[in-house]
Amino acid sequence: MRPFTLTARTLFACMMVAILSSCEDRQTSDLVLQDRIFTQYELSFDPGLDQTTAVAKFSIGSASGDGLELGGNSEITFNGSLLTLGTDPITSEPIYETTFDGLISGGTFLFQDTEGNQYSNTVSMKSVDFIQTPSNINRSEDLTIEWTGGELGASEEMTVDFLLAGSSVSNNPTFVTDEIGATSITISSSDLLSLDPDTYTMSLDRWARPTPTETPAAGGAILLHYQAEPLVVDLD
């Protein structure tokens, strides 16, 4: 009798069964206690694409809990538009999202669980843009970046990143301020000198994490993200 061996076709079949099984193993919200559902909402604006994206994620017990697909008659909408099921490209967890053309600076996330309970959260993003930032930056001098869109409030922060022109990933530090009332951020010359002289795309991002107003007992989180139109700068 010949010994048993796995052919390429058999291996492929096994792999497909494993993949399908992992998809089927995803938990759905109708199989958990509804007050254990943790809700996460995100609204972001990308000026390069001129698009606003609304995202919702659901998990068991906390933000780090197992992800949930909505089951039964449960649904999530933003400004009345149903968010559709997808997969987070990083975590492979289920997410719900929809994209709008142009800027949608605010709106309402409305979540309905399988028992008909509804949780409404209205959000509003503050804008941001650069004010008179030079295109040539001397690394031996401190750089102060001012912005439009108003001062920082509680649970807000502003970040500045330098990405090498033509690159998609940055290994450089992110510069952050979360000082309440701030209307600018100063990057010291010592920090600038840690960057190689070159041409960079400089980004300015405003982040806000307001407290949700209505959630199941497990709680929830909200993230608002507004990107300024990036600038191309030369660091000398």
Side-chain angles (χ1 to χ4, degrees):
M1 180 181 295
R2 290 188 304 170
F4 176 74
T5 59
L6 285 177
T7 65
R9 180 176 296 179
T10 305
L11 284 170
F12 177 75
C14 292
M15 291 173 60
M16 290 304 297
V17 169
I19 292 171
L20 292 174
S21 297
S22 66
C23 293
E24 292 173 356
D25 287 344
R26 275 187 174 180
Q27 298 191 66
T28 55
S29 64
D30 55 332
L31 300 180
V32 302
L33 295 174
Q34 297 302 285
D35 61 4
R36 293 198 64 214
I37 298 175
F38 187 90
T39 60
Q40 299 179 75
Y41 306 131
E42 179 178 342
L43 188 67
S44 61
F45 175 65
D46 185 333
L49 298 175
D50 191 27
Q51 290 181 335
T52 302
T53 301
V55 176
K57 303 178 184 180
F58 303 91
S59 53
I60 302 175
S62 69
S64 60
D66 291 339
L68 287 170
E69 287 187 16
L70 297 183
N73 63 341
S74 188
E75 66 176 21
I76 176 68
T77 62
F78 179 74
N79 284 354
S81 295
L82 195 66
L83 276 63
T84 56
L85 176 63
T87 300
D88 189 305
I90 298 175
T91 66
S92 297
E93 297 282 10
I95 60 173
Y96 291 80
E97 62 183 332
T98 190
T99 299
F100 304 90
D101 291 332
L103 170 63
I104 307 295
S105 61
T108 300
F109 288 94
L110 182 62
F111 167 53
Q112 176 177 290
D113 68 18
T114 59
E115 296 173 353
N117 301 308
Q118 292 189 338
Y119 303 91
S120 177
N121 285 270
T122 298
V123 299
S124 179
M125 286 191 296
K126 291 182 181 178
S127 64
V128 66
D129 208 347
F130 290 98
I131 297 180
Q132 297 180 337
T133 298
S135 58
N136 289 87
I137 296 172
N138 186 342
R139 294 182 302 137
S140 62
E141 299 177 357
D142 292 351
L143 172 65
T144 296
I145 299 171
E146 297 179 294
W147 58 74
T148 64
E151 64 186 33
L152 289 184
S155 302
E156 277 192 297
E157 67 180 27
M158 202 76 74
T159 61
V160 177
D161 285 279
F162 291 87
L163 181 67
L164 275 173
S167 176
S168 59
V169 178
S170 174
N171 294 319
N172 296 318
T174 296
F175 303 101
V176 184
T177 181
D178 59 1
E179 180 183 351
I180 295 176
T183 57
S184 65
I185 180 173
T186 297
I187 303 172
S188 69
S189 61
S190 59
D191 283 331
L192 289 174
L193 286 169
S194 70
L195 305 176
D196 293 331
D198 212 320
T199 300
Y200 292 84
T201 297
M202 183 169 63
S203 63
L204 178 66
D205 295 73
R206 185 173 204 141
W207 308 82
R209 295 172 176 82
T211 302
T213 53
E214 295 183 2
T215 69
I222 295 174
L223 177 63
L224 308 176
H225 177 205
Y226 194 110
Q227 302 177 51
E229 190 73 41
L231 297 179
V232 176
V233 297
D234 290 314
L235 296 188
D236 300 325

mmCIF file of all heavy atoms in Angstrom, residues 202-230:
data_model
loop_
_atom_site.group_PDB
_atom_site.id
_atom_site.type_symbol
_atom_site.label_atom_id
_atom_site.label_comp_id
_atom_site.label_asym_id
_atom_site.label_seq_id
_atom_site.Cartn_x
_atom_site.Cartn_y
_atom_site.Cartn_z
ATOM 1 N N MET A 202 4.881 67.597 4.115
ATOM 2 C CA MET A 202 4.577 67.885 5.519
ATOM 3 C C MET A 202 3.069 67.842 5.727
ATOM 4 O O MET A 202 2.309 68.526 5.026
ATOM 5 C CB MET A 202 5.143 69.249 5.924
ATOM 6 C CG MET A 202 4.919 69.578 7.385
ATOM 7 S SD MET A 202 5.867 71.040 7.957
ATOM 8 C CE MET A 202 5.158 72.334 6.924
ATOM 9 N N SER A 203 2.643 67.034 6.677
ATOM 10 C CA SER A 203 1.214 66.907 6.943
ATOM 11 C C SER A 203 0.865 67.500 8.298
ATOM 12 O O SER A 203 1.700 67.531 9.219
ATOM 13 C CB SER A 203 0.786 65.435 6.907
ATOM 14 O OG SER A 203 1.432 64.701 7.926
ATOM 15 N N LEU A 204 -0.357 67.983 8.410
ATOM 16 C CA LEU A 204 -0.890 68.555 9.646
ATOM 17 C C LEU A 204 -2.260 67.933 9.870
ATOM 18 O O LEU A 204 -3.150 68.054 9.022
ATOM 19 C CB LEU A 204 -0.994 70.079 9.510
ATOM 20 C CG LEU A 204 -1.568 70.850 10.698
ATOM 21 C CD1 LEU A 204 -0.623 70.753 11.903
ATOM 22 C CD2 LEU A 204 -1.789 72.321 10.328
ATOM 23 N N ASP A 205 -2.420 67.236 10.996
ATOM 24 C CA ASP A 205 -3.653 66.483 11.260
ATOM 25 C C ASP A 205 -4.239 66.869 12.607
ATOM 26 O O ASP A 205 -3.522 66.944 13.617
ATOM 27 C CB ASP A 205 -3.371 64.977 11.256
ATOM 28 C CG ASP A 205 -2.929 64.468 9.905
ATOM 29 O OD1 ASP A 205 -1.769 64.747 9.498
ATOM 30 O OD2 ASP A 205 -3.722 63.803 9.240
ATOM 31 N N ARG A 206 -5.549 67.093 12.589
ATOM 32 C CA ARG A 206 -6.270 67.417 13.822
ATOM 33 C C ARG A 206 -7.071 66.187 14.267
ATOM 34 O O ARG A 206 -7.833 65.615 13.473
ATOM 35 C CB ARG A 206 -7.208 68.599 13.588
ATOM 36 C CG ARG A 206 -7.920 69.076 14.846
ATOM 37 C CD ARG A 206 -8.697 70.360 14.595
ATOM 38 N NE ARG A 206 -8.900 71.116 15.827
ATOM 39 C CZ ARG A 206 -8.833 72.439 15.920
ATOM 40 N NH1 ARG A 206 -8.571 73.156 14.836
ATOM 41 N NH2 ARG A 206 -9.015 73.037 17.068
ATOM 42 N N TRP A 207 -6.891 65.785 15.529
ATOM 43 C CA TRP A 207 -7.555 64.617 16.079
ATOM 44 C C TRP A 207 -8.397 65.022 17.276
ATOM 45 O O TRP A 207 -7.948 65.822 18.104
ATOM 46 C CB TRP A 207 -6.539 63.572 16.530
ATOM 47 C CG TRP A 207 -5.515 63.196 15.502
ATOM 48 C CD1 TRP A 207 -4.354 63.870 15.189
ATOM 49 C CD2 TRP A 207 -5.541 62.065 14.631
ATOM 50 N NE1 TRP A 207 -3.677 63.223 14.197
ATOM 51 C CE2 TRP A 207 -4.371 62.105 13.837
ATOM 52 C CE3 TRP A 207 -6.426 60.988 14.458
ATOM 53 C CZ2 TRP A 207 -4.072 61.138 12.882
ATOM 54 C CZ3 TRP A 207 -6.130 60.022 13.513
ATOM 55 C CH2 TRP A 207 -4.972 60.101 12.734
ATOM 56 N N ALA A 208 -9.576 64.464 17.391
ATOM 57 C CA ALA A 208 -10.432 64.721 18.554
ATOM 58 C C ALA A 208 -11.049 63.405 19.015
ATOM 59 O O ALA A 208 -11.403 62.549 18.187
ATOM 60 C CB ALA A 208 -11.520 65.731 18.212
ATOM 61 N N ARG A 209 -11.165 63.273 20.332
ATOM 62 C CA ARG A 209 -11.745 62.063 20.919
ATOM 63 C C ARG A 209 -12.835 62.451 21.919
ATOM 64 O O ARG A 209 -12.654 62.318 23.140
ATOM 65 C CB ARG A 209 -10.652 61.216 21.585
ATOM 66 C CG ARG A 209 -9.642 60.668 20.576
ATOM 67 C CD ARG A 209 -8.459 59.985 21.271
ATOM 68 N NE ARG A 209 -7.550 59.381 20.302
ATOM 69 C CZ ARG A 209 -6.613 60.025 19.636
ATOM 70 N NH1 ARG A 209 -6.458 61.344 19.825
ATOM 71 N NH2 ARG A 209 -5.826 59.408 18.773
ATOM 72 N N PRO A 210 -13.965 62.947 21.415
ATOM 73 C CA PRO A 210 -15.043 63.335 22.322
ATOM 74 C C PRO A 210 -15.667 62.123 23.012
ATOM 75 O O PRO A 210 -15.600 61.001 22.502
ATOM 76 C CB PRO A 210 -16.052 64.028 21.388
ATOM 77 C CG PRO A 210 -15.813 63.401 20.051
ATOM 78 C CD PRO A 210 -14.334 63.131 19.992
ATOM 79 N N THR A 211 -16.250 62.363 24.144
ATOM 80 C CA THR A 211 -16.911 61.290 24.894
ATOM 81 C C THR A 211 -18.259 60.972 24.257
ATOM 82 O O THR A 211 -19.053 61.878 23.999
ATOM 83 C CB THR A 211 -17.120 61.707 26.353
ATOM 84 O OG1 THR A 211 -15.850 62.016 26.940
ATOM 85 C CG2 THR A 211 -17.789 60.595 27.142
ATOM 86 N N PRO A 212 -18.536 59.698 23.982
ATOM 87 C CA PRO A 212 -19.846 59.343 23.418
ATOM 88 C C PRO A 212 -20.969 59.728 24.371
ATOM 89 O O PRO A 212 -20.799 59.694 25.598
ATOM 90 C CB PRO A 212 -19.759 57.813 23.252
ATOM 91 C CG PRO A 212 -18.298 57.498 23.254
ATOM 92 C CD PRO A 212 -17.657 58.520 24.142
ATOM 93 N N THR A 213 -22.111 60.072 23.807
ATOM 94 C CA THR A 213 -23.258 60.455 24.642
ATOM 95 C C THR A 213 -24.183 59.275 24.923
ATOM 96 O O THR A 213 -24.808 59.215 25.975
ATOM 97 C CB THR A 213 -24.070 61.578 23.962
ATOM 98 O OG1 THR A 213 -24.409 61.176 22.626
ATOM 99 C CG2 THR A 213 -23.248 62.861 23.904
ATOM 100 N N GLU A 214 -24.272 58.330 23.989
ATOM 101 C CA GLU A 214 -25.143 57.169 24.180
ATOM 102 C C GLU A 214 -24.422 55.902 23.723
ATOM 103 O O GLU A 214 -23.986 55.822 22.569
ATOM 104 C CB GLU A 214 -26.460 57.322 23.388
ATOM 105 C CG GLU A 214 -27.334 58.470 23.866
ATOM 106 C CD GLU A 214 -28.657 58.547 23.115
ATOM 107 O OE1 GLU A 214 -28.911 57.682 22.245
ATOM 108 O OE2 GLU A 214 -29.430 59.465 23.400
ATOM 109 N N THR A 215 -24.311 54.936 24.633
ATOM 110 C CA THR A 215 -23.667 53.663 24.315
ATOM 111 C C THR A 215 -24.339 52.553 25.116
ATOM 112 O O THR A 215 -25.001 52.817 26.128
ATOM 113 C CB THR A 215 -22.166 53.659 24.686
ATOM 114 O OG1 THR A 215 -22.041 53.671 26.119
ATOM 115 C CG2 THR A 215 -21.433 54.856 24.103
ATOM 116 N N PRO A 216 -24.150 51.298 24.709
ATOM 117 C CA PRO A 216 -24.509 50.193 25.603
ATOM 118 C C PRO A 216 -23.682 50.270 26.885
ATOM 119 O O PRO A 216 -22.738 51.075 26.981
ATOM 120 C CB PRO A 216 -24.163 48.949 24.775
ATOM 121 C CG PRO A 216 -24.194 49.418 23.348
ATOM 122 C CD PRO A 216 -23.699 50.836 23.390
ATOM 123 N N ALA A 217 -23.976 49.426 27.848
ATOM 124 C CA ALA A 217 -23.298 49.482 29.142
ATOM 125 C C ALA A 217 -21.788 49.299 29.016
ATOM 126 O O ALA A 217 -21.024 49.823 29.835
ATOM 127 C CB ALA A 217 -23.879 48.434 30.085
ATOM 128 N N ALA A 218 -21.331 48.574 27.986
ATOM 129 C CA ALA A 218 -19.895 48.332 27.809
ATOM 130 C C ALA A 218 -19.134 49.603 27.467
ATOM 131 O O ALA A 218 -17.914 49.675 27.654
ATOM 132 C CB ALA A 218 -19.669 47.280 26.726
ATOM 133 N N GLY A 219 -19.807 50.616 26.952
ATOM 134 C CA GLY A 219 -19.158 51.879 26.624
ATOM 135 C C GLY A 219 -18.838 52.022 25.146
ATOM 136 O O GLY A 219 -19.311 51.243 24.305
ATOM 137 N N GLY A 220 -18.008 53.018 24.839
ATOM 138 C CA GLY A 220 -17.679 53.263 23.439
ATOM 139 C C GLY A 220 -16.609 54.335 23.312
ATOM 140 O O GLY A 220 -16.113 54.883 24.304
ATOM 141 N N ALA A 221 -16.250 54.632 22.069
ATOM 142 C CA ALA A 221 -15.222 55.630 21.778
ATOM 143 C C ALA A 221 -15.539 56.290 20.447
ATOM 144 O O ALA A 221 -16.163 55.683 19.567
ATOM 145 C CB ALA A 221 -13.836 54.992 21.740
ATOM 146 N N ILE A 222 -15.085 57.539 20.307
ATOM 147 C CA ILE A 222 -15.271 58.297 19.065
ATOM 148 C C ILE A 222 -13.935 58.926 18.685
ATOM 149 O O ILE A 222 -13.218 59.453 19.535
ATOM 150 C CB ILE A 222 -16.334 59.401 19.227
ATOM 151 C CG1 ILE A 222 -17.716 58.786 19.477
ATOM 152 C CG2 ILE A 222 -16.381 60.304 17.982
ATOM 153 C CD1 ILE A 222 -18.787 59.815 19.794
ATOM 154 N N LEU A 223 -13.595 58.876 17.395
ATOM 155 C CA LEU A 223 -12.387 59.519 16.876
ATOM 156 C C LEU A 223 -12.758 60.378 15.676
ATOM 157 O O LEU A 223 -13.402 59.894 14.734
ATOM 158 C CB LEU A 223 -11.353 58.476 16.462
ATOM 159 C CG LEU A 223 -10.065 59.011 15.822
ATOM 160 C CD1 LEU A 223 -9.300 59.873 16.822
ATOM 161 C CD2 LEU A 223 -9.195 57.876 15.302
ATOM 162 N N LEU A 224 -12.352 61.647 15.711
ATOM 163 C CA LEU A 224 -12.565 62.570 14.596
ATOM 164 C C LEU A 224 -11.198 62.966 14.047
ATOM 165 O O LEU A 224 -10.293 63.295 14.817
ATOM 166 C CB LEU A 224 -13.332 63.818 15.055
ATOM 167 C CG LEU A 224 -14.642 63.559 15.820
ATOM 168 C CD1 LEU A 224 -15.243 64.876 16.291
ATOM 169 C CD2 LEU A 224 -15.638 62.795 14.950
ATOM 170 N N HIS A 225 -11.054 62.951 12.721
ATOM 171 C CA HIS A 225 -9.737 63.185 12.107
ATOM 172 C C HIS A 225 -9.896 64.066 10.874
ATOM 173 O O HIS A 225 -10.542 63.675 9.898
ATOM 174 C CB HIS A 225 -9.111 61.834 11.718
ATOM 175 C CG HIS A 225 -7.796 61.957 11.030
ATOM 176 N ND1 HIS A 225 -7.314 60.988 10.178
ATOM 177 C CD2 HIS A 225 -6.849 62.937 11.050
ATOM 178 C CE1 HIS A 225 -6.136 61.355 9.712
ATOM 179 N NE2 HIS A 225 -5.834 62.538 10.223
ATOM 180 N N TYR A 226 -9.297 65.249 10.934
ATOM 181 C CA TYR A 226 -9.345 66.196 9.816
ATOM 182 C C TYR A 226 -7.914 66.450 9.354
ATOM 183 O O TYR A 226 -7.068 66.894 10.126
ATOM 184 C CB TYR A 226 -10.001 67.502 10.250
ATOM 185 C CG TYR A 226 -10.395 68.429 9.117
ATOM 186 C CD1 TYR A 226 -11.737 68.645 8.810
ATOM 187 C CD2 TYR A 226 -9.437 69.108 8.371
ATOM 188 C CE1 TYR A 226 -12.104 69.509 7.769
ATOM 189 C CE2 TYR A 226 -9.790 69.960 7.334
ATOM 190 C CZ TYR A 226 -11.126 70.162 7.046
ATOM 191 O OH TYR A 226 -11.476 71.007 6.021
ATOM 192 N N GLN A 227 -7.636 66.177 8.078
ATOM 193 C CA GLN A 227 -6.303 66.387 7.517
ATOM 194 C C GLN A 227 -6.250 67.720 6.775
ATOM 195 O O GLN A 227 -7.148 68.024 5.988
ATOM 196 C CB GLN A 227 -5.952 65.275 6.527
ATOM 197 C CG GLN A 227 -5.994 63.879 7.098
ATOM 198 C CD GLN A 227 -5.715 62.843 6.029
ATOM 199 O OE1 GLN A 227 -4.732 62.942 5.298
ATOM 200 N NE2 GLN A 227 -6.583 61.840 5.913
ATOM 201 N N ALA A 228 -5.188 68.481 7.040
ATOM 202 C CA ALA A 228 -4.954 69.690 6.250
ATOM 203 C C ALA A 228 -4.418 69.297 4.881
ATOM 204 O O ALA A 228 -3.913 68.189 4.688
ATOM 205 C CB ALA A 228 -3.960 70.594 6.970
ATOM 206 N N GLU A 229 -4.534 70.203 3.934
ATOM 207 C CA GLU A 229 -3.905 69.990 2.631
ATOM 208 C C GLU A 229 -2.393 69.955 2.848
ATOM 209 O O GLU A 229 -1.807 70.913 3.349
ATOM 210 C CB GLU A 229 -4.276 71.116 1.686
ATOM 211 C CG GLU A 229 -3.869 70.884 0.244
ATOM 212 C CD GLU A 229 -4.729 69.836 -0.462
ATOM 213 O OE1 GLU A 229 -5.950 69.844 -0.259
ATOM 214 O OE2 GLU A 229 -4.144 69.022 -1.208
ATOM 215 N N PRO A 230 -1.719 68.859 2.508
ATOM 216 C CA PRO A 230 -0.279 68.753 2.798
ATOM 217 C C PRO A 230 0.539 69.742 1.981
ATOM 218 O O PRO A 230 0.131 70.178 0.912
ATOM 219 C CB PRO A 230 0.046 67.300 2.439
ATOM 220 C CG PRO A 230 -1.017 66.894 1.462
ATOM 221 C CD PRO A 230 -2.247 67.645 1.854
#
